């Protein structure tokens, strides 16, 4: 078997974050070195607890979970309980986690891991606001060239935004952190709304998770049914976009996605367009091509992959 890819998942669960974590846990090709929680969909106290609930759901209390930033670099925290529910993980009834939160601060864990592990072997998977990642880069800039790749869910251009007409939630919550990350020179793969809005949790797909007949399958269906109701109403679609698992799916099957390398710059000044990811798709500026921006997905194959991997748990 080929050597597994070593990843740190930075996350704010969140039902779609939870499915992303389950996808990683169900995939032997990936080794989760640690999960770092950040404030986002709900406050940090809940996101770190939700990350532990999901590890336990998957029967993996051995995974190390760390708590990071309680708020964005410069702005007040904005949360999304209207989408994810009060706990951030409304839908299934999951027990309070027994596994312990690690004592180390998530930002220190990211820095220490990248400095001590062989350079170019750790991939960062960012599923929430980029606060922890930016803080790590600010604390120890030497980590930048040691990161193999950052694969992140965030931004949007052709689809517009989902919290303001121009901004996607993860980037909007901490645009200054996103700015640090996009200017870091680290290879970035970006999963914007332009691609995640094509990965819809239709009723048929949700039912297929329930049909697995396992605890993970049932909890996933319960999560998706809760999560999709908000977006179904908003967009008038059958199902809602399943954003964050696109990041993990890319690591497993990059060919599911199509995009192009271009410049991405983050708006941090104008209140009107705060957190907008300005994507130079047509290369009309001389700005450096700092990200592989995905725009298309083989959504049937994506959901087949999810079903198969979650079925292993
Ligand atoms: C992103 O925001 C959160 O609500 C989701 O977990 C996802 O990471 C989508 O805009
Ligand atoms: Ca998220």
């Amino acid at each position: 078997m080929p050597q597994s890819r070593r990843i740190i998942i930075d996350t704010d669960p969140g039902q779609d974050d939870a499915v992303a974590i389950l996808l990683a846990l169900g995939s032997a090709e990936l080794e989760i070195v640690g999960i770092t929680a950040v404030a986002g969909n709900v406050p940090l106290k809940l996101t770190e607890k939700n990350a532990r609930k999901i590890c336990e759901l998957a029967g993996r209390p051995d995974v190390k979970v760390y708590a990071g930033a309680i708020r964005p670099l410069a702005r007040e925290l904005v949360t999304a309980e209207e989408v994810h529910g009060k706990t951030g993980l409304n839908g299934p009834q999951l027990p309070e986690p027994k596994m312990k939160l690690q004592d180390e601060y998530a930002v220190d864990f990211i820095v220490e891991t990248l400095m001590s592990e062989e350079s170019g072997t750790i991939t960062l998977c960012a599923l929430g606001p980029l606060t922890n990642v930016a803080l790590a880069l600010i604390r120890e800039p030497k980590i930048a060239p040691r990161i193999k790749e950052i694969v992140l869910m965030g931004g949007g251009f052709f689809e517009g935004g989902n919290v303001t007409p121009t901004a996607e939630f993860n980037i909007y919550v901490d645009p200054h952190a996103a700015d640090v990350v996009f200017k870091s020179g680290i290879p970035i793969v970006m999963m914007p709304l332009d691609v995640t809005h094509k990965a819809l949790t239709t009723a048929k797909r949700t039912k297929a998770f329930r049909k697995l007949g396992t605890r993970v399958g049932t909890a996933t269906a319960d999560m998706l049914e809760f999560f999709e109701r908000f977006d179904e109403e908003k967009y008038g679609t059958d199902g809602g976009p399943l954003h964050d698992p696109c990041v993990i799916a890319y690591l497993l099957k990059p060919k599911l996605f199509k995009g192009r390398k271009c410049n991405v710059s983050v708006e941090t000044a104008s209140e009107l367009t705060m957190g907008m990811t300005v994507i130079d798709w047509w290369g009309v500026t001389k700005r450096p091509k700092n990200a592989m921006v995905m725009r298309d997905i083989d959504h049937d194959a994506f959901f087949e992959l999810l079903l198969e991997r979650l079925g292993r748990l």
Side-chain angles (χ1 to χ4, degrees):
M1 194 163 116
Q3 224 197 346
S4 59
R5 183 154 171 166
R6 311 187 72 212
I7 62 172
I8 294 175
I9 302 181
D10 189 70
T11 177
D12 62 335
Q15 293 88 349
D16 62 323
D17 301 72
V19 177
I21 294 170
L22 291 172
L23 176 60
L25 289 171
S27 300
E29 306 94 311
L30 301 177
E31 181 196 333
I32 305 180
V33 182
I35 296 181
T36 52
V38 67
N41 287 323
V42 284
L44 181 72
K45 270 242 154 300
L46 290 167
T47 59
E48 62 85 353
K49 193 208 275 189
N50 291 343
R52 289 183 290 135
K53 281 185 179 175
I54 294 303
C55 292
E56 287 193 357
L57 171 68
R60 291 292 306 278
D62 57 297
V63 175
K64 292 189 164 53
V65 175
Y66 302 81
I70 58 166
R71 46 154 286 198
L73 298 188
R75 290 168 68 85
E76 290 290 318
L77 176 64
V78 176
T79 53
E81 283 86 357
E82 70 286 7
V83 183
H84 301 271
K86 226 177 158 200
T87 67
L89 218 50
N90 281 36
Q93 294 299 324
L94 297 174
E96 287 297 293
K98 291 201 187 78
M99 63 186 272
K100 286 227 166 65
L101 179 68
Q102 299 296 306
D103 290 332
E104 196 179 6
Y105 178 42
V107 175
D108 293 343
F109 165 74
I110 294 173
V111 169
E112 269 143 41
T113 305
L114 284 160
M115 292 309 290
S116 61
E117 296 292 333
E118 193 188 328
S119 182
T121 59
I122 304 277
T123 297
L124 293 187
C125 303
L127 313 179
L130 290 159
T131 320
N132 287 344
V133 180
L135 282 172
L137 285 165
I138 292 165
R139 217 205 91 186
E140 182 47 275
K142 286 196 198 113
I143 65 172
R146 303 180 67 85
I147 298 172
K148 181 178 168 75
E149 190 171 45
I150 297 179
V151 187
L152 63 90
M153 190 280 135
F157 193 62
F158 301 93
E159 275 290 295
N162 60 358
V163 268
T164 74
T166 55
E168 178 280 330
F169 180 80
N170 289 340
I171 308 296
Y172 179 75
V173 173
D174 200 338
H176 300 93
D179 188 46
V180 169
V181 171
F182 278 99
K183 285 181 177 155
S184 67
I186 301 163
I188 293 174
V189 178
M190 174 181 182
M191 296 289 168
L193 296 177
D194 306 303
V195 72
T196 67
H197 276 191
K198 293 175 179 161
L200 295 177
T201 60
T202 60
K204 194 169 158 217
R205 287 166 174 168
T206 303
K207 213 177 277 160
F209 287 113
R210 193 172 297 289
K211 270 208 201 127
L212 286 173
T214 57
R215 270 187 78 216
V216 167
T218 308
T220 301
D222 289 345
M223 282 195 276
L224 296 185
E225 273 166 14
F226 183 89
F227 178 56
E228 67 203 10
R229 92 221 172 283
F230 182 86
D231 284 333
E232 280 181 331
E233 195 170 315
K234 183 169 163 196
Y235 302 116
T237 45
D238 173 15
L242 193 56
H243 309 281
D244 293 339
C246 290
V247 167
I248 306 295
Y250 170 78
L251 300 181
L252 298 167
K253 295 202 173 201
K255 293 211 172 97
L256 292 183
F257 299 90
K258 282 206 183 81
R260 72 168 66 150
K261 237 185 147 196
C262 32
N263 177 268
V264 181
S265 302
V266 182
E267 176 62 66
T268 56
S270 152
E271 248 340 292
L272 182 66
T273 53
M274 184 62 73
M276 179 181 184
T277 47
V278 178
I279 299 178
D280 185 7
W281 187 259
W282 300 112
V284 294
T285 69
K286 295 267 180 298
R287 293 196 285 259
K289 297 185 176 184
N290 57 350
M292 179 70 194
V293 179
M294 296 304 181
R295 206 170 158 190
D296 275 306
I297 177 173
D298 180 342
H299 47 86
D300 282 328
F302 168 70
F303 277 95
E304 270 163 36
L305 176 71
L306 269 170
L307 196 62
E308 189 236 320
R309 297 306 168 93
L310 267 57
R312 294 181 185 179
L313 295 170

